[in-house]
Amino acid sequence: MALIYPPQCLSCGETVAQGGGAVHLCPTCWPDAVFVGATRCDCCGAPLPGDPAPDLQCDDCLRLPRPWDRGRAALVYGGTARKLVLALKHGDRPDLAPALGLWLARAAADLIAPEMIVVPVPLHLRRMLRRKYNQAELLAAALSKHHGLDHQPRLLRRIRHTEGQDHRSVMDRHANVAGALAVDAARAARLRGRPVLLIDDVMASGATLAEATERLSEAGLGSISVAVLARAVKDA
């Protein structure tokens, strides 16, 4: 099959030597993709200097405590990762989701717990109609399949359209998403107490993930962890 359809780089489309593996990047795009290693913030997944250690936290998480328990990210948002996120999100490339979801599944492997459910951050209907799919839901579906978890894409709903978060301060970002999400009460009642893995494509300030976590906690769900494809960090 590879002779008929040679594997291509996810980012630029150039033919790559190996297909079906974990990387799917050509020698040109690979150096510009920064995968998060073992030394990372345990709360948001941001890469940190030094040796791995349990319970490490970055400056952002020390300054602004998060409502969720633990977090992971597959990549640093920048370079090739930024190109892939934007292609998935705005470039009508849902075909990227299985491979990117596998990267996310591997990054989040140590968060997986018995009876865990996977919940993507939802899109508002207005944005869904324009984009035709929710990129976080596609990533969550791929991760759920890889780990054999219960995917719950309708547990959270976005009940208020919000403007983009770009160029806003941290406080403005939190204010922008306040009250924008709600939990489906009937579904939550059936899932009460079960641990949650909350999925989004990118984390910058963490405002949307915090809002989602608070709504899920109020609805009686169990411990909540987060996993994102890419973590925006300073100087990335």
Side-chain angles (χ1 to χ4, degrees):
M1 185 63 70
L3 293 176
I4 302 173
Y5 301 106
Q8 294 179 313
C9 173
L10 292 174
S11 182
C12 71
E14 288 294 317
T15 300
V16 294
Q18 298 294 327
V23 179
H24 297 286
L25 293 175
C26 71
T28 301
C29 295
W30 167 254
D32 210 22
V34 181
F35 286 83
V36 178
T39 307
R40 64 205 169 192
C41 175
D42 191 55
C43 195
C44 75
L48 294 174
D51 297 323
D55 303 322
L56 287 175
Q57 288 197 27
C58 67
D59 291 344
D60 285 349
C61 291
L62 290 171
R63 184 167 50 250
L64 181 65
R66 313 294 188 178
W68 61 82
D69 296 318
R70 303 172 71 199
R72 295 291 181 267
L75 298 126
V76 172
Y77 185 69
T80 296
R82 181 177 182 275
K83 293 176 184 176
L84 291 170
V85 167
L86 293 178
L88 175 64
K89 192 170 186 172
H90 301 299
D92 197 22
R93 291 291 310 277
D95 58 291
L96 295 173
L100 301 182
L102 178 59
W103 293 354
L104 181 57
R106 292 177 174 177
D110 68 331
L111 299 180
I112 305 305
E115 298 298 310
M116 179 170 265
I117 62 172
V118 179
V119 180
V121 170
L123 288 181
H124 188 269
L125 179 60
R126 186 189 307 179
R127 193 157 284 152
M128 177 71 89
L129 290 173
R130 184 171 70 247
R131 198 173 294 170
K132 302 183 180 65
Y133 58 87
N134 176 3
Q135 71 280 357
E137 183 176 333
L138 297 182
L139 293 170
L143 180 147
S144 300
K145 181 178 180 180
H146 180 77
H147 286 297
L149 298 177
D150 181 4
H151 184 206
Q152 290 287 334
R154 304 293 173 261
L155 182 58
L156 271 175
R157 295 180 294 116
R158 194 174 287 261
I159 57 175
R160 179 172 63 80
H161 177 70
T162 56
E163 298 301 324
Q165 296 280 65
D166 293 345
H167 311 300
R168 294 175 183 266
S169 69
V170 172
M171 296 308 296
D172 284 346
R173 287 173 181 240
H174 281 269
N176 188 43
V177 298
L181 302 177
V183 175
D184 183 299
R187 286 184 170 88
R190 297 194 297 269
L191 300 167
R192 189 176 300 276
R194 290 178 63 176
V196 175
L197 184 59
L198 185 62
I199 303 295
D200 207 356
D201 56 347
V202 179
M203 176 183 170
S205 68
T208 302
L209 290 165
E211 179 72 12
T213 298
E214 289 167 359
R215 301 291 81 75
L216 291 166
S217 295
E218 290 170 357
L221 277 298
S223 64
I224 298 170
S225 297
V226 304
V228 296
L229 178 62
R231 174 71 166 99
V233 298
K234 297 178 179 68
D235 303 320

